[in-house]
Amino acid sequence: MVHRPTHPRRARRTRSVFRSRDLWILAAILLGLTGLLVACSEEGEDQNGQDQGANEQPAETAPPETQPDTTEAPPADGGETSDDGLSTEDWILLGVLAVVVVALIAGVTSAAGRRSAAKAAAGSELRTQLSEIVGASRWVHDSGSIEILLATDPAQAQSAWMEVRRRMVDLEGQISVMAAGTTDTNLDTILRNLGQSVAELRGAAETYVSAKLRLAGAADSAELLRLPDQTVNDHRQRLQAAIEPVAAAARR
C-alpha cells in the first residue's frame, strides 16, 4: 500500500497550532501564578486584620483616660505594602516570573522559526534534486531513445548508444541514491519505480542496437528488427508513466 505524504500546507497548519498552544499554556501559567500571589497576599491581609481586631478592646470597656493607639503596626514580614495589597517582594517576584515567561515564549518562537527554516531549506533542496531527475528522465524518453531508433546506419546507432547508455547509468545511480536517502514511503516507491523503468529501457535499447549491428546488410533486417523496436517503444511508454508521479512530487 502506498502511503500519501503529509501535505505541506497541512503540516504548516499543524505546526502553527502547536506553537499557538505552547504560547497559551505559558500565558496561563503566568496568570495562574499571578492569581496565586494575589490570593496569598489578600489572605495575609485578612489574617492581619482579624488579628488586629481581636487585639483591640471594645470602646465601652476602655478606661476613659486611655487614648487609643493610632499607630499602625508594620507588616508581619517587614516589607512595605502597596495600596493594592501586594508587597514589594511580591512585585519583584511577579517581575521575575514575567521575565522568565517572556524568555520561554521567545525561546519557543525562535526554536520553531529555526525548525521551519530548516524544513523549508530541505524541501527546496529535495525539489531541486527531483527536478534534475525528472529532466534527465525526460531527455532519455524524448531524445536519447529516439536518436537510437532513428539511426539508419548501425555504426551511427552504436555511437549514439554509447553516450545515451552512459547518461542512463548515471541517472539510475542518482535515482537509487535519492531513494535510499528518503524517509518518505511514497517518494521511495515512485523513485524506485522510475529507476526500474530506466533500467528496463536501457536493456531494451541495448538489445536493439546489438540486433541492428548483427543484422547489418541482411535483406530481412527491417522485419527482424521490428520486435526489438517495438520493445523499446513499450518501455518508453512505461518510462513516461513513471516520470509523472516524480514530476508531481517535484512541484509540491
Side-chain angles (χ1 to χ4, degrees), residues 100-247:
V100 170
V101 171
V102 170
L104 288 174
I105 293 175
V108 171
T109 304
S110 177
R114 288 194 298 270
R115 287 196 298 270
S116 179
K119 289 183 179 180
S124 177
E125 183 179 359
L126 174 63
R127 288 189 293 272
T128 299
Q129 293 176 351
L130 289 176
S131 297
E132 292 176 357
I133 288 176
V134 169
S137 300
R138 284 178 173 163
W139 178 87
V140 170
H141 177 271
D142 299 338
S143 300
S145 57
I146 293 297
E147 183 179 359
I148 295 169
L149 293 176
L150 294 180
T152 56
D153 182 67
Q156 182 182 2
Q158 185 181 28
S159 177
W161 168 239
M162 297 301 294
E163 175 62 18
V164 174
R165 183 181 183 281
R166 183 190 65 80
R167 296 182 64 169
M168 292 179 75
V169 170
D170 291 343
L171 176 59
E172 291 173 44
Q174 186 178 0
I175 295 173
S176 178
V177 170
M178 190 168 187
T182 184
T183 58
D184 188 328
T185 305
N186 181 63
L187 183 59
D188 175 77
T189 300
I190 61 178
L191 282 173
R192 293 188 184 280
N193 184 45
L194 177 61
Q196 182 177 357
S197 298
V198 174
E200 290 175 351
L201 177 57
R202 176 170 57 83
E206 190 162 15
T207 300
Y208 172 81
V209 173
S210 297
K212 197 174 186 66
L213 289 171
R214 187 177 65 255
L215 297 173
D220 56 348
S221 60
E223 182 67 23
L224 294 175
L225 287 173
R226 183 176 301 174
L227 180 58
D229 183 285
Q230 183 60 44
T231 301
V232 171
N233 281 308
D234 289 343
H235 284 291
R236 289 182 66 251
Q237 293 179 4
R238 294 178 185 175
L239 175 60
Q240 177 64 33
I243 290 174
E244 294 308 317
V246 181

Side-chain angles (χ1 to χ4, degrees), residues 59-69:
E60 62 273 14
T61 60
E65 67 278 10
T66 302
Q67 296 295 330
D69 186 5

